[in-house]
Every structure is written in C-alpha cells, then in structure tokens.
Amino acid sequence: MTDLVHDFRALHHNRAPGDPLVLPGPWDAASARAFEEAGFPALATPSAGVAASLGYADGAVPAAEMFAAVARIARAVSVPVSADLEGGYGLPPAELVARALESGVVGMNLEDTAHGSAPGTLKDPEAHADWLAEVRAEAGDRLFLNARVDSLLPSLRGTADRSAPELVADALDRARRYAAAGADCVYPIGARPADLPPLRAGLPPTLPLNALARPDGTSVTTLAQAGATRLTFGPALLHTTLTTLRNLAPHLRG
C-alpha cells in the first residue's frame, strides 16, 4: 500500500504543461477494471456515482456501505484508487483515516459542504481547515488528501447575490487555507475554464489543482491550458453509460 500511495502522489507532480493527470471515476468493480484495462494509471471514485450504483441519492449512502463499495473497487484493480468520501460522514479523524486505510484506498476526496445543515451550506473555512489538519496528522503520508472547495457550485445558497469574481476569491481563500492545513491537492468543483487561471496564479505552483471535466463538454486540453493539473469526472461517466443502456433497452424488447 505504501508503494501505491507513493506512486499516486508522484503522478500529480512534475507533469509536462498541458498534460494533466486524468482520473476516471469507477462506480463499481467492473467499471474500475474497464478503466484499468484502458491504461489509466490511477482511479478516483465519485461518491454520486457509487451512490447511484447502490440505489441511493447523492449524499445518502451510509458510511459503512460507501466504505464497502470503495473497498470492492480497490480490490478489483492493481492501480491506486482514491475515494470520494464526501464530508467524512461525521467520523472523528482517527476513525475516518483508519476506515479509509482498511478499504485499501490511497487517497480521500473531502468536501467543505456542511452536511446536515441547510442544503448548499458551506462549512466555516477556518474550522474546516482545522479539521483537515487533524486528518492530515492522523494520516501522515499514508493517504493523499484532495480538498474539495464547493464555493463555485451553482447549488450553493446565496451565490445568486455574489459576483463571479467574489465566488472565485472565496474559493481561492478556502483552497489556500486547506493547502496550508496539509491538503495534497485542491479541487474547486464547478470552476469554469475562465476561473482556473486566477485560482492557479493564487496557489503555490507545485500544488495540484483538480478541475471537473465532462466527457461531452469542455475538453481535457482546454482545462489543462487554463491551469488544471488533475481532472476528474464526477458521476458523468456513469451517466454516459446509463444513457447508452437506456437507448439500447427498447431494442431488446423486440
């Protein structure tokens, strides 16, 4: 496991300009094997995709079921797997780290949405940074921490009253705090290509910057040129697969 974590961390650094780390998001063991067979060097599970595969709404998967699901994915492949563990399920840092390590993943995606509060509410950035620092202290170098920043999500409460530059500034402030707390990578989900240059410019040059890509949307090249060094897809790859199945299903009935 130590070698996998080392390999995963190394994949994020010293990349050529315009060559981001592309991490597809498997939702089960079969999709993970398909991505590995396609040659991807690592994978990153999407919590929404795993939730859909288990029959839950996004954010409604019990912690035990999420850990069991990501453990099946990690066991199914030989490449490193990072897991989207949402907001940590209310677990103390020591338990969260222990359960992640038990599941066989090499990293965690942890977001700053305040689950259990009004929908679309963000955590206080200082308090969240302190919590991330505790997670970092527990994990040491055994896990790669990707800190998701939710300021730019369209569903965020109150964003209609704030300008795009204000939202980008908030995302940058949060990203800086989380990096200082020990995050290995920051992920301003919802950032548009135009948002990425000021985010990239305001962060340490060696800090990986994760952006959300879409298989039918903004190209990998465009996001890379805008400053992204890591790309993930959320549940979009599952949705693409389901669209294919829905289109096929009527023909199976004859």
Side-chain angles (χ1 to χ4, degrees), residues 63-173:
E65 291 199 46
M66 182 61 76
F67 283 112
V70 299
R72 287 191 293 271
I73 291 170
R75 285 198 302 268
V77 294
S78 60
V79 296
V81 175
S82 181
D84 183 348
L85 298 180
E86 303 179 282
Y89 306 107
L91 299 173
E95 184 177 355
L96 176 61
V97 168
R99 294 181 73 171
L101 291 171
E102 288 169 3
S103 72
V105 300
V106 301
M108 297 189 290
N109 194 84
L110 298 171
E111 63 197 49
D112 60 359
T113 288
H115 294 280
S117 302
T121 300
L122 291 183
K123 295 179 181 177
D124 174 78
E126 183 176 357
H128 188 60
D130 289 344
W131 179 76
L132 285 174
E134 293 182 47
V135 175
R136 172 86 282 163
E138 289 288 345
D141 61 359
R142 296 176 296 170
L143 290 169
F144 184 97
L145 301 185
N146 186 32
R148 200 180 94 177
V149 180
D150 290 358
S151 303
L152 298 169
L153 284 176
S155 59
L156 182 68
R157 290 165 61 89
T159 55
D161 299 325
R162 303 176 68 186
S163 69
E166 286 179 316
L167 295 175
V168 172
D170 183 80
L172 179 57
D173 175 67

Side-chain angles (χ1 to χ4, degrees), residues 176-253:
R176 286 170 171 165
R177 290 174 184 266
Y178 305 161
D184 294 288
C185 180
V186 292
Y187 178 18
I189 188 172
R192 304 164 302 171
D195 300 327
L196 292 173
L199 290 168
R200 177 70 278 168
L203 295 169
T206 58
L207 180 71
L209 177 61
N210 193 156
L212 178 66
R214 300 187 184 280
D216 58 351
T218 306
S219 72
V220 167
T221 301
T222 298
L223 292 169
Q225 291 176 342
T229 49
R230 163 174 157 157
L231 298 177
T232 50
F233 298 86
L237 300 174
L238 169 60
H239 293 164
T240 300
T241 302
L242 291 177
T243 296
T244 300
L245 288 175
R246 291 188 183 103
N247 292 336
L248 174 63
H251 301 287
L252 301 180
R253 293 161 49 196

